[in-house]
Amino acid sequence: MKTFFIFSLLLLPLLASCAERKQVYIVYFGEHSGKKALHEIEDTHHSYLLSVKETEEEARASLLYSYKHSINGFAAVLTQDEASQLSELEEVVSVWASHPKKYSMHTTRSWKFVGIMEEEERHWTSNKMGGDFLSKARFGKDIIVGVLDSGVWPESKSFSDEGMGPIPKSWKGICQSGPGFNSSHCNRKLIGARYYLKGFEHNYGPLNASEDYQSPRDMDGHGTHTSSTVAGRLVPKASAIGGFARGTASGGAPLAHLAIYKVCWAIPGQSKADGNTCFEEDMFAAIDDAIGDGVDVLSISIGTSHPVNYTSDGISLGALHATKKNIVVACSAGNSGPAPATLSNPAPWIITVGASSLDRAFVSPVVLGNGIRLEGETVTPSKLEENNMYPLVYAADVINTGVPKDMAGQCLPGSLSPEKVKGKIVLCMRGSGLRIGKGMEVKRAGGVGFILGNSAANGIEIACDAHVLPATSVLYKDANRILKYINSTKHPIATIIPARTVLHTKPAPFMASFSSRGPNVIDPNILKPDITAPGLNILAAWSEADPPTKLNGIDHRVAQYNIYSGTSMSCPHVAAAAALLKAIHPSWSSAAIRSALMTTAEIRNNLDMPLNDESGNAATPFAYGSGHFRPTKAADPGLVYDASYRDYLLYMCSIGGFKDVDPKFKCPGSQPTATNLNYPSIAISKLNRAITIKRTVTNVGAGKSIYFFTSKPPLGISVKASPSMLFFDHVGQKKSFTITVKARKEMLSKHDKDEYVFGWYTWTDGLHTVRSPIAVSLA
């Protein structure tokens, strides 16, 4: 008993410490009501803090951000009890804690491939509309694109303002100074730049100046890459290290203006190759400022590691406020594929973007001692001696003692024996660890080169890297052939042929294995992702403070342009297309722009076959959404599915569990169903016999036109529209229709629970084809 009493006394301070543990919480009130001065809004937020804090000094010290422009709320350091007290207030919509690892970044040829820029040889998307489309859009002139990311490298030629027009009068932002960045770095291209790190520093302490700049300057490369993809200038003779992908680098909207919001930072003591971190309270502040600054489009290549409810997701709520100001928000779907139900950013007011390939490869074959030649890919500039063959080994056969068997072939740090590796080419397999890290391990152990073999899950996707020694990457089946050869002879030998750039490869596009997949687990009634765009091996500008491998201190190379992969790369492609459409159709809503992009997307590849996934099988809308984006077609979609800010509030009422986001709006007594949100796609989860869904289209094509309904129903499902013909006599006219989706009797008795089937329906007038995907699972 005495021992227990002493133990209890020792435990009490620990329990008290846990009870009083403080962290950052976001307190969200929804939309601002009325017009208050900014200082009045901050004073109001302080008053709420004072109601749970003991002193005014403590209340003011706890405040990190006061969100004042469109978003009404604040981020503050609170105890769990204080946060709970605030959450019980009637005017508070939601309160949630910020977590350090909740968000991360989702880490040229593209514009010719999708038909925006001309090239001599006609191919898959080739048409004469590309030049006309850019001219009509005036190359994005006067459109302002905000980018939330890791900052920017302002000296890049991609951000030159030569020949740019004046800064739009609507712009209200600033050019924030800091180490390595001052007002002179902003120009008519980079018209604004800010940085946000209060949330980061609360969690990690003061920023280490050797790891990142406390300014908008990019020490990572990711932000420079995404910014130049969306709106970089035309830069002739650009290429990655080694001359790969040489050509004219350009963003999709080269005359659009850029506003940079640095919200992602290097994690202390961790390699940038492992990723940065982006704090929710910092991003919420950036989105609030971007709305106040006057951006037209937001490109956000950041997301959660797992799905998060809308009202606990800073990006989702920030994007909703942006939508009220008619700002188009494009976000990356995530890099957690090909597993199902992994995508982030699923809110229906966001354009959620998956990643697919280009029709370009960087071919670097492996030649084995038995004469077999296997195709590989790389953007590694290092080369082996010409006409020389080298000893070839499998990593699992040359490891140090103590390396676990399941990790033996993966070339993890410290795993290889220098005695067994020196002077040889090593076959390493993908799985655990970084791709570039495997090459570093081979180099450390004295290898002369290495071959990176895909895992079965990677399929036909090969992500190319600028390795630090001669290297190439091969498909899983070819890695197995190499391993079989190694095991078939006492003295296996091989060489790696230097890479060359090859265009018009087939099939293309195909879905990248890393691209996160649906279904949407937050609300299965919204089909996500919305669309796919190029995200595999994309060339764009890079930070000269970070090597192409992001291995600082090990890789000392400097790159002005770099090849990078991820839905982070596909997102700015769609943001650029949205900017061009906004320039052509300034009166269109953000929903109309999303609809135009979705209903005109392509679902076949350059072999005129259905888009396939990384395994060569037919992909589904849970991978590509409506298809691969075609901006030139989106300029003239014929019909659009429009939706307003009020429609999204009604939608939030329909899914339940939320307080009113806007004080001027109250959920009606008879709430609409979530499936009736006027979305350009249809998703039905757990269908029980039949359901009827309402949609409304707006005519943006010819004044007088007749559209006919057709469908390719999902297997075992019937899809019928009423009416099946739509008559329009003027532009802007709206027509509503219902679609009845019904399971056939045989399907009801023979189906796997929760298994989805897919199809689509279209409206066509002979000139326009307005296509919407359908996904259905049965109860």
Side-chain angles (χ1 to χ4, degrees):
M1 186 70 179
K2 185 177 180 181
T3 303
F4 174 77
F5 177 72
I6 294 171
F7 176 73
S8 299
L9 287 176
L10 292 171
L11 190 60
L12 281 173
L14 179 61
L15 292 173
S17 170
C18 290
E20 292 300 315
R21 180 176 175 269
K22 295 181 179 181
Q23 66 183 109
V24 177
Y25 286 84
I26 295 172
V27 180
Y28 175 60
F29 299 94
E31 183 74 21
H32 282 290
S33 59
K35 295 214 170 190
K36 286 185 178 180
L38 297 183
H39 73 274
E40 291 177 310
I41 295 170
E42 187 164 333
D43 286 344
T44 301
H45 293 161
H46 275 135
S47 71
Y48 281 103
L49 284 170
L50 190 56
S51 71
V52 296
K53 298 290 187 180
E54 293 185 359
T55 67
E56 184 171 341
E57 183 180 5
E58 186 185 359
R60 292 192 178 276
S62 68
L63 183 68
L64 297 186
Y65 292 107
S66 179
Y67 308 123
K68 308 169 189 173
H69 297 291
S70 178
I71 300 167
N72 186 7
F74 58 85
V77 181
L78 303 169
T79 65
Q80 186 175 345
D81 182 60
E82 291 167 345
S84 179
Q85 289 180 56
L86 290 170
S87 70
E88 292 171 2
L89 297 174
E90 184 179 354
E91 62 270 34
V92 173
V93 174
S94 58
V95 176
W96 69 96
S98 170
H99 296 286
K101 297 182 180 179
K102 184 175 177 180
Y103 293 88
S104 61
M105 299 182 302
H106 289 152
T107 325
T108 186
R109 174 71 183 162
S110 307
W111 304 113
K112 291 180 180 177
F113 183 55
V114 299
I116 285 183
M117 294 181 180
E118 302 284 348
E119 69 174 346
E120 293 179 4
E121 184 174 342
R122 294 178 65 83
H123 61 291
W124 177 59
T125 59
S126 182
N127 57 69
K128 294 182 180 179
M129 289 177 63
D132 292 342
F133 173 66
L134 270 178
S135 296
K136 284 180 182 176
R138 299 185 303 159
F139 298 84
K141 185 181 178 184
D142 293 333
I143 300 298
I144 303 170
V145 181
V147 181
L148 269 67
D149 215 295
S150 65
V152 69
W153 191 260
E155 291 83 3
S156 172
K157 292 179 182 178
S158 291
F159 307 121
S160 165
D161 70 348
E162 184 178 350
M164 290 279 296
I167 295 171
K169 292 180 180 178
S170 60
W171 176 244
K172 300 179 182 67
I174 64 170
C175 190
Q176 190 175 6
S177 297
F181 199 97
N182 57 50
S183 60
S184 69
H185 288 112
C186 289
N187 56 26
R188 287 171 296 168
K189 164 58 74 174
L190 289 175
I191 63 173
R194 299 176 184 256
Y195 66 93
Y196 305 81
L197 80 166
K198 290 179 181 178
F200 172 89
E201 289 199 326
H202 173 76
N203 187 80
Y204 288 113
L207 182 71
N208 185 335
S210 67
E211 294 180 329
D212 214 331
Y213 296 99
Q214 190 172 332
S215 75
R217 183 173 287 279
D218 182 15
M219 197 183 271
D220 180 87
H222 190 278
T224 300
H225 200 283
T226 56
S227 300
S228 63
T229 299
V230 69
R233 302 300 302 277
L234 275 70
V235 181
K237 299 179 181 179
S239 68
I241 283 181
F244 295 107
R246 185 177 297 278
T248 299
S250 174
L255 290 186
H257 305 278
L258 280 166
I260 305 301
Y261 301 88
K262 182 176 178 178
V263 295
C264 299
W265 303 87
I267 300 173
Q270 185 173 306
S271 169
K272 288 187 176 68
D274 293 322
N276 281 14
T277 185
C278 321
F279 279 79
E280 191 165 21
E281 56 270 34
D282 296 335
M283 292 189 292
F284 217 32
I287 295 173
D288 191 42
D289 279 342
I291 294 169
D293 289 345
V295 303
D296 300 298
V297 177
L298 273 173
S299 180
I300 306 177
S301 293
I302 303 166
T304 54
S305 55
H306 60 275
V308 176
N309 284 325
Y310 302 143
T311 53
S312 299
D313 181 353
I315 291 178
S316 168
L317 289 173
L320 178 61
H321 286 272
T323 300
K324 186 178 183 182
K325 302 295 184 182
N326 206 25
I327 298 167
V328 183
V329 183
C331 295
S332 47
N335 298 339
S336 300
T342 50
L343 61 83
S344 62
N345 299 314
W349 45 86
I350 289 172
I351 306 177
T352 311
V353 188
S356 40
S357 72
L358 291 170
D359 62 342
R360 176 180 66 195
F362 305 100
V363 178
S364 172
V366 175
V367 179
L368 304 179
N370 59 6
I372 291 177
R373 182 185 178 102
L374 301 171
E375 291 295 301
E377 286 191 58
T378 191
V379 289
T380 303
S382 306
K383 302 174 184 178
L384 294 172
E385 290 186 22
E386 196 172 348
N387 301 321
N388 273 15
M389 301 291 279
Y390 297 84
L392 174 65
V393 292
Y394 176 44
D397 299 329
V398 290
I399 56 174
N400 289 315
T401 56
V403 176
K405 287 186 178 180
D406 59 340
M407 300 291 183
Q410 298 191 34
C411 299
L412 298 179
S415 65
L416 300 179
S417 167
E419 293 179 6
K420 300 174 183 177
V421 168
K422 187 176 181 181
K424 298 172 183 174
I425 295 174
V426 183
L427 171 64
C428 306
M429 298 302 295
R430 288 183 66 176
S432 297
L434 299 170
R435 299 187 304 269
I436 52 176
K438 297 175 189 291
M440 291 300 305
E441 174 60 11
V442 173
K443 185 176 182 179
R444 180 201 65 80
V448 296
F450 93 108
I451 302 164
L452 182 60
N454 266 6
S455 66
N458 300 126
I460 60 174
E461 165 205 305
I462 293 181
C464 294
D465 302 291
H467 291 288
V468 294
L469 78 170
T472 192
S473 299
V474 298
L475 301 178
Y476 178 67
K477 64 181 180 66
D478 291 332
N480 283 334
R481 291 182 70 183
I482 295 170
L483 183 57
K484 185 177 180 181
Y485 163 70
I486 290 172
N487 293 331
S488 71
T489 178
K490 288 185 177 180
H491 302 289
I493 55 174
T495 192
I496 300 169
I497 306 298
R500 59 189 178 89
T501 302
V502 177
L503 302 180
H504 310 301
T505 58
K506 296 179 180 181
F510 60 82
M511 292 308 302
S513 67
F514 58 75
S515 188
S516 292
R517 304 306 208 257
N520 176 357
V521 298
I522 302 303
D523 180 11
N525 297 302
I526 302 296
L527 199 163
K528 290 284 181 170
D530 292 310
I531 203 163
T532 187
L536 182 63
N537 301 327
I538 304 302
L539 178 74
W542 195 249
S543 167
E544 293 184 34
D546 203 21
T549 60
K550 303 181 83 170
L551 293 172
N552 269 299
I554 300 172
D555 183 1
H556 301 288
R557 295 172 297 177
V558 174
Q560 294 181 341
Y561 290 84
N562 198 20
I563 289 170
Y564 214 38
S565 297
T567 52
S568 280
M569 284 62 254
S570 56
C571 170
H573 280 83
V574 172
L580 295 173
L581 290 178
K582 205 165 182 69
I584 296 173
H585 302 289
S587 64
W588 279 12
S589 69
S590 59
I593 288 172
R594 178 186 56 237
S595 174
L597 288 165
M598 290 174 65
T599 60
T600 58
E602 179 61 80
I603 58 172
R604 302 184 77 81
N605 61 26
N606 57 4
L607 291 174
D608 197 30
M609 298 290 289
L611 292 179
N612 60 317
D613 63 18
E614 68 287 341
S615 300
N617 301 318
T620 75
F622 284 164
Y624 59 67
S626 296
H628 196 273
F629 85 140
R630 294 191 295 176
T632 57
K633 293 287 186 183
D636 181 23
L639 304 174
V640 294
Y641 293 83
D642 210 349
S644 66
Y645 172 70
R646 185 177 185 277
D647 291 327
Y648 296 131
L649 296 182
L650 285 168
Y651 163 77
M652 291 184 76
C653 295
S654 73
I655 59 178
F658 301 111
K659 294 183 181 180
D660 294 328
V661 170
D662 192 323
K664 298 177 182 177
F665 174 87
K666 299 295 179 184
C667 289
S670 177
Q671 296 178 4
T673 59
T675 52
N676 282 335
L677 177 66
N678 200 37
Y679 213 69
S681 59
I682 289 177
I684 302 167
S685 174
K686 303 184 186 303
L687 174 66
N688 188 2
R689 297 186 180 276
I691 187 173
T692 298
I693 295 169
K694 181 182 177 181
R695 291 289 188 267
T696 301
V697 288
T698 303
N699 180 25
V700 294
K704 292 186 177 182
S705 54
I706 304 172
Y707 282 82
F708 299 88
F709 178 85
T710 59
S711 71
K712 183 185 178 186
L715 181 65
I717 306 290
S718 71
V719 177
K720 294 183 179 179
S722 179
S724 58
M725 296 172 63
L726 299 177
F727 297 86
F728 295 93
D729 55 28
H730 64 271
V731 174
Q733 187 176 10
K734 296 179 183 292
K735 292 284 183 176
S736 295
F737 59 93
T738 60
I739 290 184
T740 300
V741 179
K742 184 177 181 180
R744 302 184 190 278
K745 289 183 180 179
E746 63 272 17
M747 189 67 172
L748 289 170
S749 59
K750 299 177 182 178
H751 74 277
D752 293 329
K753 188 178 181 182
D754 297 330
E755 180 182 352
Y756 277 85
V757 287
F758 304 93
W760 64 81
Y761 73 90
T762 62
W763 290 102
T764 181
D765 65 348
L767 177 63
H768 305 96
T769 299
V770 187
R771 193 183 61 83
S772 295
I774 305 171
V776 180
S777 73
L778 298 182

